[in-house]
Amino acid sequence: MAQTDVKLLGMRPSPFVNRVQYALNIKSVGYEFLEEKFGSKSKLLLQSNPIHKKVPVFIHADKPICESLIIVQYIDEVWSSGPSLLPSDPYDRAIASFWAAYIDDKWYPALKEIRLAEGDEGKLVPMGQVVEGLALLEAAFLSCSKGKSFFGGDSIGYLDIAFGSFLGWLKATEKIACVKLLDEAKTPHLVGWADRFCSHDAVKDVMPKTEMLVEIANILKAKFRASAPN
């Protein structure tokens, strides 16, 4: 049951919105989901996030908080009785934050570029960047997980949420580009982790279906083409 003082403004296909949903589910926090319409911005969104004017926006006791990873950290601190998301050790916490920033700033933009690229040749450079990044994240998983099931150890943590939120879009990109990016032969530990993450109770009913994301990707690519200079 939703808590009346906890609201989330978002769109279901957004991996950044999904991050907040995963965190709330892990913490067993009920919330009201206020869905934004594709291509428009509600008055509440513009009032709550006047700087970036984008989702997600998390509203707790009428106070808005923006940016997905900041929201996840806030949820972890406020609902401290639930499973911890951020590592307790300062070094481990810094490492998790480093990789989360790498995923957002470097890895995901390359994945997005694959979907927008024209022709096979245009996909080569970003595809190489994504594959290289997955190899780096395989090594990061071995280090962060310490032999356990998730980056966060025995349970889903901050870095699992940061990276796992993009698994739906990774699958959609593989389908669009007719390529296997998350390859068991090259990154077996990440493949196992991805299966565990996607089947987790906090995740499986939230993660968007691949077919829906492919459809959305095609719409976004058409809009990108239309806005591109001739």
Side-chain angles (χ1 to χ4, degrees):
M1 184 175 178
Q3 295 181 11
T4 56
D5 66 338
V6 179
K7 298 179 175 66
L8 174 61
L9 276 69
M11 292 184 286
R12 298 180 195 278
S14 167
F16 304 101
V17 173
N18 297 155
R19 284 175 172 173
V20 181
Q21 293 176 292
Y22 299 151
L24 289 168
N25 287 348
I26 289 167
K27 294 282 190 173
S28 299
V29 178
Y31 63 97
E32 182 182 358
F33 188 79
L34 304 175
E35 189 149 18
E36 291 288 312
K37 292 182 180 179
F38 186 72
S40 66
K41 299 179 190 292
S42 70
K43 183 179 179 181
L44 181 59
L45 172 60
L46 296 174
Q47 288 175 340
S48 304
N49 190 0
I51 304 302
H52 297 298
K53 302 178 177 65
K54 63 181 183 180
V55 295
V57 176
F58 184 69
I59 302 175
H60 181 213
D62 295 323
K63 296 177 181 178
I65 303 161
C66 307
E67 298 297 307
S68 62
L69 292 178
I70 293 173
I71 297 169
V72 169
Q73 183 173 348
Y74 176 86
I75 290 169
D76 193 37
E77 292 173 354
V78 171
W79 286 275
S80 56
S81 59
S84 295
L85 300 177
L86 281 153
S88 58
D89 180 80
Y91 178 78
D92 291 342
R93 192 159 59 246
I95 294 301
S97 296
F98 169 84
W99 284 113
Y102 166 78
I103 290 162
D104 278 7
D105 297 342
K106 298 289 185 182
W107 186 82
Y108 182 64
L111 185 73
K112 188 175 179 180
E113 193 175 336
I114 295 172
R115 299 196 299 270
L116 295 175
E118 298 290 348
D120 292 340
E121 189 172 338
K123 295 180 175 69
L124 287 178
V125 171
M127 205 173 291
Q129 293 170 338
V130 167
V131 171
E132 180 184 1
L134 289 172
L136 292 172
L137 288 163
E138 170 89 351
F141 175 79
L142 290 172
S143 175
C144 294
S145 68
K146 300 177 174 64
K148 296 181 179 178
S149 297
F150 298 99
F151 282 93
D154 289 321
S155 59
I156 288 177
Y158 177 83
L159 185 50
D160 296 283
I161 290 171
F163 186 25
S165 63
F166 293 124
L167 288 174
W169 281 103
L170 177 60
K171 292 175 184 177
T173 304
E174 288 180 328
K175 190 163 187 176
I176 291 166
C178 299
V179 65
K180 193 67 176 172
L181 297 169
L182 191 58
D183 187 349
E184 190 167 8
K186 296 177 181 177
T187 52
H189 296 92
L190 273 190
V191 170
W193 162 80
D195 289 341
R196 290 188 293 274
F197 183 86
C198 291
S199 62
H200 194 280
D201 286 343
V203 173
K204 62 185 180 181
D205 293 331
V206 173
M207 185 171 288
K209 303 298 182 186
T210 303
E211 294 75 16
M212 181 182 74
L213 294 180
V214 169
E215 184 178 344
I216 291 170
N218 289 333
I219 293 171
L220 293 174
K221 186 172 183 178
K223 290 173 72 73
F224 176 77
R225 283 175 176 170
S227 63
N230 294 325

